[in-house]
Amino acid sequence: MISIKEVTKQTGITVRTMRYYDQIGLLHPADKTEGGHRLYGEKEMKKLQEIQFLKTIGFSLQEIKEMLADENHDWFTGLKKQLGYISKEKERLEQIEGTLRGLINEIMLNGNIDLFSVQKLIQLYQQNMDKREGYLNQIFNEEESKLLQNLPNINRDDPETLEWIALIAQLKKHMSKGISAPEIQRLIKRMYEKEQETFGDNKEFVEKIWDIRKSPQKSESAGFYPIDAETLDFFEKAYEFYVKKKSNF
Amino acid sequence: MISIKEVTKQTGITVRTMRYYDQIGLLHPADKTEGGHRLYGEKEMKKLQEIQFLKTIGFSLQEIKEMLADENHDWFTGLKKQLGYISKEKERLEQIEGTLRGLINEIMLNGNIDLFSVQKLIQLYQQNMDKREGYLNQIFNEEESKLLQNLPNINRDDPETLEWIALIAQLKKHMSKGISAPEIQRLIKRMYEKEQETFGDNKEFVEKIWDIRKSPQKSESAGFYPIDAETLDFFEKAYEFYVKKKSNF
DNA sequence: ATACAAAATGACGTAACGTCAATTTCAAGT
DNA sequence: ACTTGAAATTGACGTTACGTCATTTTGTAT
């Protein structure tokens, strides 16, 4: 028989928690002193461990109470149900994670931001979730849809996406130096090569994407990350410049 | 200006929720009728959408209130913090998912189960989480540790693991028919082939694993799923029978 | 004017404790 | 036996984001 203090020492569980478990009938002390101090035995400590474990796998105290009370509890079914629940929750968090990464990337692209811009981004996001796929499937054929998967999807966390964002952000930063500046041309070169790597010679496909990018409305419908018109225009000119120079050799 | 009923119609948000948002100062109605009925305008509806969105990405109402109130809120930092929090939560759920799958598989192996067995499994689990890796690294060298990754890890959900579990479960089921029964020998054959596929000719390594399996204590320390001694013994005999027959041809 | 729908306020309940506050008990030292 | 300080007790309120009554008031159609 050990005191409540000993329990907290051995398990890290607080006194309040032990009192609470007693109160809700989840775990009563084995005995009490004359004065009413709680005393716990070996059995209780084991049960406490079980409770802790069942808590870590996401069961509520009420559920745990019922499970431990029922001699013939169907653990298999219970655990499968719990697994289903946990899996769903996990998927929800994965969704959220993707959305957050998307928003963060967009802010990285646009620089920090006032309430108004965030409102616009949020609206864009909500639209996209509903419409993006529909819109894209309408424009691209099946084969191209697969290629689209390779597009830097702003929700994703892969280094591919990050490099695109970094490249565009750098482009914006050095825009004032003009399209022929060596910094710019180095960036464009990298982008050109990346494009080749990703889409190969699929000219027509790349054209379609440019077409979408050039129209803010289309761009919004497609859920591409918003590059402002100025940057887009600058990029296009710098790109042409690069290609022309390249073909001169 | 629309009534609260209109709001619920358009958004699906309940009256209670609107009242609550009003109460905590998150979203006041634009105006009230003489009698005190709430009226909402365009601005409020937009704000409501933003609130909904920020809720879906996991912010609390208090946080949302502060974010929307602060003209110069640092969205970038806030979102990154939130991402960190969400990612952690997601990892926690992944952990739980693995544990649950593990427990479910063990129950599949052992048939359904009383409180006592579950207590033992839980204890085994808690031990494993702490000790398993340490113990295994002590016995196996680095190369072998990599091979160990191919071992049916009971926490995992892949078809490999599932087949091992199914095979052993079938073995148990038909055990009464003796080691030479054709059902048994077919199962053993499949297991033998799977073993070859997975570990190739790495005899020594397979020996070590058998050594661990044969000792309940070691098996427990290593966190292998618990196969009872009887089944293990039966398997061994059936296996020897199979190999002998095979080498006779 | 009446009746009925819709809205209002107020209150309690939820889950799993944390955090006071006021009082009582325990164990040790004198 | 007495004192004292630490430890334990009960009780109560706070937390989140509403749901769910119960009761009263307002709006609107006839």
Side-chain angles (χ1 to χ4, degrees), chain A residues 26-44:
Chain A
L26 175 59
L27 179 63
H28 294 303
D31 201 357
K32 289 196 171 190
T33 67
E34 274 186 48
H37 287 198
R38 293 173 177 78
L39 296 172
Y40 295 88
E42 276 300 312
K43 249 201 314 196
E44 282 72 29

Side-chain angles (χ1 to χ4, degrees), chain B residues 97-119:
Chain B
E97 215 186 353
T99 305
L100 279 170
R101 285 194 205 286
L103 272 174
I104 288 171
N105 285 345
E106 307 225 25
I107 290 182
M108 277 175 73
L109 270 179
N110 296 311
N112 203 4
I113 255 178
D114 57 2
L115 182 56
F116 183 67
S117 315
V118 172
Q119 283 174 355

Side-chain angles (χ1 to χ4, degrees), chain B residues 206-244:
Chain B
V206 175
E207 284 288 315
K208 274 187 193 172
I209 288 179
W210 275 109
D211 188 49
I212 291 175
R213 279 236 183 283
K214 276 176 206 157
S215 152
Q217 272 97 353
K218 285 186 188 174
S219 209
E220 197 162 302
S221 298
F224 290 166
Y225 45 72
I227 303 175
D228 56 291
E230 198 190 353
T231 307
L232 206 57
D233 191 55
F234 179 79
F235 172 75
E236 220 175 326
K237 294 212 174 95
Y239 190 87
E240 276 170 27
F241 182 84
Y242 172 79
V243 174
K244 211 187 286 174

Side-chain angles (χ1 to χ4, degrees), chain A residues 33-72:
Chain A
T33 67
E34 274 186 48
H37 287 198
R38 293 173 177 78
L39 296 172
Y40 295 88
E42 276 300 312
K43 249 201 314 196
E44 282 72 29
M45 296 306 282
K46 269 201 179 163
K47 188 168 176 185
L48 193 53
Q49 276 194 14
E50 289 158 24
I51 291 170
Q52 290 300 101
F53 177 76
L54 293 171
K55 256 190 20 170
T56 66
I57 57 180
F59 286 107
S60 74
L61 295 186
Q62 186 55 39
E63 287 167 328
I64 294 174
K65 185 180 165 185
E66 284 161 16
M67 291 158 110
L68 294 184
D70 179 7
E71 196 67 27
N72 309 63

Side-chain angles (χ1 to χ4, degrees), chain A:
Chain A
M1 294 297 209
I2 59 176
S3 74
I4 204 169
K5 181 185 56 180
E6 258 303 302
V7 176
T8 72
K9 267 192 198 164
Q10 288 180 27
T11 63
I13 294 167
T14 68
V15 174
R16 179 67 175 95
T17 299
M18 295 306 294
R19 286 211 315 108
Y20 182 62
Y21 289 175
D22 187 6
Q23 186 187 324
I24 65 173
L26 175 59
L27 179 63
H28 294 303
D31 201 357
K32 289 196 171 190
T33 67
E34 274 186 48
H37 287 198
R38 293 173 177 78
L39 296 172
Y40 295 88
E42 276 300 312
K43 249 201 314 196
E44 282 72 29
M45 296 306 282
K46 269 201 179 163
K47 188 168 176 185
L48 193 53
Q49 276 194 14
E50 289 158 24
I51 291 170
Q52 290 300 101
F53 177 76
L54 293 171
K55 256 190 20 170
T56 66
I57 57 180
F59 286 107
S60 74
L61 295 186
Q62 186 55 39
E63 287 167 328
I64 294 174
K65 185 180 165 185
E66 284 161 16
M67 291 158 110
L68 294 184
D70 179 7
E71 196 67 27
N72 309 63
H73 179 69
D74 183 355
W75 291 93
F76 186 66
T77 305
L79 291 172
K80 274 206 303 190
K81 224 174 118 186
Q82 184 68 3
L83 176 58
Y85 170 68
I86 293 289
S87 295
K88 261 193 202 164
E89 268 300 290
K90 200 197 67 181
E91 275 164 31
R92 196 175 65 86
L93 289 188
E94 271 166 5
Q95 271 279 353
I96 293 177
E97 213 185 357
T99 305
L100 278 169
R101 284 194 206 286
L103 271 174
I104 288 170
N105 286 346
E106 307 224 27
I107 290 180
M108 276 174 72
L109 272 179
N110 296 310
N112 203 3
I113 256 179
D114 56 2
L115 182 56
F116 183 66
S117 316
V118 171
Q119 284 174 356
K120 266 183 40 188
L121 282 177
I122 288 176
Q123 277 177 27
L124 217 159
Y125 244 89
Q126 294 190 313
Q127 266 185 29
N128 290 347
M129 289 183 181
D130 302 340
K131 293 194 198 155
R132 177 176 184 177
E133 265 191 68
Y135 180 79
L136 290 179
N137 287 338
Q138 194 181 318
I139 293 188
F140 296 100
N141 62 37
E142 206 171 328
E143 200 182 347
E144 288 170 338
S145 283
K146 273 180 199 159
L147 270 175
L148 261 180
Q149 305 293 323
N150 292 335
L151 250 193
N153 180 331
I154 202 149
N155 291 346
R156 280 177 41 207
D157 185 32
D158 54 10
E160 294 296 315
T161 304
L162 258 179
E163 191 181 357
W164 279 111
I165 290 172
L167 288 169
I168 294 169
Q170 287 176 71
L171 208 64
K172 262 184 101 156
K173 189 175 158 197
H174 296 295
M175 207 153 59
S176 62
K177 294 175 185 165
I179 57 170
S180 58
E183 295 97 320
I184 297 295
Q185 285 302 308
R186 277 199 296 273
L187 289 169
I188 296 288
K189 183 179 174 216
R190 177 62 191 142
M191 287 164 111
Y192 179 83
E193 288 166 0
K194 243 180 121 56
E195 190 184 289
Q196 291 298 109
E197 272 175 40
T198 312
F199 305 115
D201 291 324
N202 212 322
K203 283 258 172 189
E204 202 183 331
F205 176 68
V206 174
E207 285 289 317
K208 274 188 191 171
I209 288 179
W210 276 109
D211 187 48
I212 291 175
R213 278 234 183 285
K214 276 177 207 157
S215 152
Q217 272 97 352
K218 285 186 187 173
S219 210
E220 195 162 303
S221 297
F224 290 166
Y225 44 74
I227 304 176
D228 56 290
E230 199 191 352
T231 307
L232 207 56
D233 191 53
F234 178 80
F235 172 74
E236 219 174 327
K237 295 212 174 95
Y239 190 86
E240 276 169 27
F241 182 85
Y242 171 77
V243 173
K244 212 188 284 176
K245 244 199 162 170
K246 190 165 176 284
S247 61
N248 278 355
F249 290 98

Side-chain angles (χ1 to χ4, degrees), chain B residues 121-122 124 132 141 170 172 174 187 198 231:
Chain B
L121 282 177
I122 289 175
L124 218 159
R132 177 176 183 175
N141 62 36
Q170 288 176 69
K172 261 184 101 156
H174 297 295
L187 288 169
T198 313
T231 307

